[in-house]
Amino acid sequence: MIENYLETLNSRFHDFDIEYRKQAYINYLRYPDPAYKESPDKKSYVTITEKDLERMAFGELSVSIKKEEKIDNEYDLVVTDSDFIVSGRKKDVYMSSMKAAFTEKPDLFRDYADKLFGKYNKENLINFSYENGYFISVPDSTKTELKIQSIQDSNSSFTFKNVIVVGKNSSVEITDVYRKHGDGNGVHGRNIYIFCLEGSHVKYNYIQAEGEDTVNLTYLRPVLYDNSEIRIIDVNTGGSRVLYNHESEMHANTTMKSYGVNISRADQEMDIWDSSLQYGKYSNCDINIKGVVLDRSSTMHRGNIDIEPDGIKSTGFYGSAILLMSEDGKGNSKPALLIKNNDTKSKHSSAISSLDPEQIFYLRSRGLSEEESKDLIINGFIGYIADITDNEFLKKQLNDILKL
């Protein structure tokens, strides 16, 4: 059992962030997963076994990725199982591994990397067992674009913690791409913490297209300081079992807009969370997520609009839409409004629809095959995601992965 592993983990990491790990371990034990069943026919919508978590926490890293495979001139940072390769083009931005940042930037590390602990059981597990990750710091009043690619081996199991600090009044767009390398059934656990300091403007693009047999757990935690804003685009297509949990912590006069797409195929299980935690007044949240279900796969959409007592004059919207392209597929949606003052505006919407035979008939009457007709319908449903951005690099990534 993982409860017995603290001594082993201490011996693995020695003094690398050990005090933080100890508290994360306590939180992991203190906040277990709920005992109730989330689904009528099984305990949770995505099945993550104890063995999966053991493999993830202990780590089974691979060194099968050769040096010549790692370098891509398009990216400012390339992450593999064993290396963090920085292009050096962004000389005003600090980019490094978490291990290096722990010694090179101790004050910055303490102020941000050690600031947040997990809210969920598996998030705490990642925090106390993380092996490495990237650490990025953008100075105040800086305008830049960063491109990151992670190509960790599909057969590897690991926990990584990534931290991004965006300085005051800075403007940055970050494209964070997670690609498949090889075949395998590894378990990949990641926590991503983004600190948007006062007056900053952040665009964060998360694209996950890992191996079809891997297990993927990702917790995305933006923190919006006063007068900051973030726009998130998240895409999930890879993995056999995917748990993606995004929650933005919002303070006064902040704005968060989140747009998501997920496509599940074969026997994939996806549990996609997008939520706001609005502490400050005049905070504004807008979440829109779309999913496509193919074959025997399943997709679950969840989201909370949580406006706290001090969050007066705030707004929150959550919208989910799922398109079922197969009679054997499953789709579900569970939005919730958690409103703790009476001076706000909030709403949620949810729609699950199946393929309309008349649409197929109409398109086939115009000379398209059945498969071409289905592809056209899917592209029309999820294609909105590419219209949100004018970033040509991001558009190319979306087109390659979503086949728009």
Side-chain angles (χ1 to χ4, degrees):
M1 296 291 289
I2 292 175
E3 284 80 355
N4 303 322
Y5 294 164
L6 182 59
E7 190 172 319
T8 303
L9 290 170
N10 280 347
S11 66
R12 282 175 58 198
F13 297 114
H14 304 294
D15 60 347
F16 171 44
D17 208 18
I18 198 65
E19 293 304 317
Y20 175 87
R21 295 178 189 280
K22 288 178 180 178
Q23 185 58 52
Y25 176 78
I26 292 170
N27 292 348
Y28 165 71
L29 298 178
R30 183 180 294 168
Y31 305 114
D33 281 333
Y36 59 81
K37 291 175 65 176
E38 295 180 326
S39 169
D41 56 349
K42 55 184 179 179
K43 188 176 185 300
S44 60
Y45 290 100
V46 172
T47 305
I48 308 293
T49 67
E50 186 72 18
K51 182 62 177 177
D52 292 331
L53 297 178
E54 289 182 15
R55 292 177 61 204
M56 181 186 75
F58 266 120
E60 302 165 356
L61 288 175
S62 168
V63 291
S64 66
I65 303 174
K66 299 177 182 178
K67 184 76 175 179
E68 58 268 22
E69 294 180 86
K70 300 172 186 175
I71 301 171
D72 189 326
N73 291 329
E74 287 188 300
Y75 291 93
D76 302 298
L77 173 64
V78 176
V79 179
T80 72
D81 294 337
S82 55
D83 289 306
F84 291 76
I85 303 168
V86 181
S87 71
R89 287 189 296 268
K90 308 291 184 179
K91 298 187 183 301
D92 55 339
V93 177
Y94 177 79
M95 286 187 283
S96 183
S97 69
M98 289 286 283
K99 285 184 179 179
F102 182 73
T103 55
E104 293 173 357
K105 301 283 185 180
D107 293 340
L108 199 63
F109 195 98
R110 181 190 65 245
D111 290 345
Y112 296 103
D114 285 350
K115 186 167 187 175
L116 290 184
F117 290 94
K119 181 177 179 180
Y120 294 91
N121 177 260
K122 297 178 183 66
E123 182 184 3
N124 283 306
L125 173 60
I126 294 170
N127 276 338
F128 93 74
S129 65
Y130 79 92
E131 295 154 69
N132 214 335
Y134 64 67
F135 188 100
I136 296 173
S137 177
V138 179
D140 294 348
S141 303
T142 299
K143 184 176 182 179
T144 191
E145 178 182 355
L146 302 175
K147 302 168 186 174
I148 307 166
Q149 183 185 50
S150 294
I151 48 172
Q152 284 141 319
D153 195 278
S154 296
N155 209 39
S156 296
S157 295
F158 55 81
T159 49
F160 268 40
K161 177 180 175 181
N162 300 330
V163 175
I164 302 169
V165 183
V166 180
K168 296 177 181 179
N169 302 310
S170 289
S171 178
V172 59
E173 179 160 7
I174 302 161
T175 300
D176 202 358
V177 181
Y178 298 86
R179 291 278 192 176
K180 170 184 176 180
H181 185 277
D183 297 316
N185 63 346
V187 186
H188 299 180
R190 296 185 184 90
N191 291 343
I192 305 169
Y193 297 99
I194 305 175
F195 296 90
C196 309
L197 302 192
E198 289 88 346
S200 62
H201 299 263
V202 179
K203 295 178 180 177
Y204 177 74
N205 311 308
Y206 170 89
I207 300 174
Q208 185 273 118
E210 294 195 305
E212 56 270 18
D213 294 320
T214 59
V215 179
N216 183 285
L217 293 84
T218 299
Y219 292 85
L220 174 63
R221 296 284 179 264
V223 179
L224 280 68
Y225 291 73
D226 292 356
N227 303 304
S228 64
E229 64 179 52
I230 189 169
R231 188 224 62 198
I232 298 168
I233 290 178
D234 61 82
V235 175
N236 281 280
T237 63
S240 63
R241 288 166 284 154
V242 177
L243 176 59
Y244 171 83
N245 186 316
H246 152 233
E247 181 178 88
S248 286
E249 178 183 315
M250 304 174 65
H251 296 276
N253 298 296
T254 55
T255 298
M256 184 270 285
K257 295 182 179 180
S258 179
Y259 306 93
V261 163
N262 72 281
I263 302 177
S264 58
R265 301 179 175 87
D267 294 304
Q268 278 182 302
E269 298 175 350
M270 290 193 176
D271 191 354
I272 310 295
W273 296 56
D274 285 282
S275 301
S276 69
L277 182 54
Q278 296 170 244
Y279 289 114
K281 61 183 179 180
Y282 298 104
S283 61
N284 300 288
C285 163
D286 189 0
I287 298 171
N288 294 273
I289 175 73
K290 290 188 175 184
V292 176
V293 177
L294 303 167
D295 307 317
R296 302 164 304 281
S297 65
S298 65
T299 285
M300 177 69 189
H301 284 173
R302 306 196 230 196
N304 295 336
I305 301 296
D306 187 340
I307 303 180
E308 294 296 298
D310 291 337
I312 60 171
K313 307 293 184 183
S314 295
T315 64
F317 172 75
Y318 175 90
S320 160
I322 297 175
L323 179 61
L324 296 174
M325 297 293 292
S326 166
E327 293 183 357
D328 298 320
K330 295 180 180 179
N332 201 352
S333 179
K334 290 177 66 175
L337 301 178
L338 307 174
I339 312 303
K340 298 165 187 174
N341 73 73
N342 59 7
D343 192 9
T344 63
K345 294 180 181 180
S346 59
K347 60 180 179 178
H348 63 69
S349 67
S350 178
I352 301 175
S353 59
S354 56
L355 188 63
D356 186 349
E358 291 189 6
Q359 286 183 315
I360 297 291
F361 177 80
Y362 175 80
L363 292 171
R364 295 199 66 182
S365 71
R366 295 299 185 267
L368 298 179
S369 68
E370 183 169 352
E371 286 305 311
E372 289 172 332
S373 300
K374 289 181 179 180
D375 288 344
L376 192 62
I377 291 171
I378 292 173
N379 287 347
F381 183 70
I382 64 174
Y384 87 102
I385 201 80
D387 297 332
I388 294 166
T389 179
D390 56 4
N391 184 320
E392 292 302 321
F393 176 79
L394 176 59
K395 282 181 180 286
K396 182 178 183 298
Q397 303 301 314
L398 294 173
N399 289 338
D400 289 347
I401 290 171
L402 298 176
K403 311 300 182 186
L404 297 175

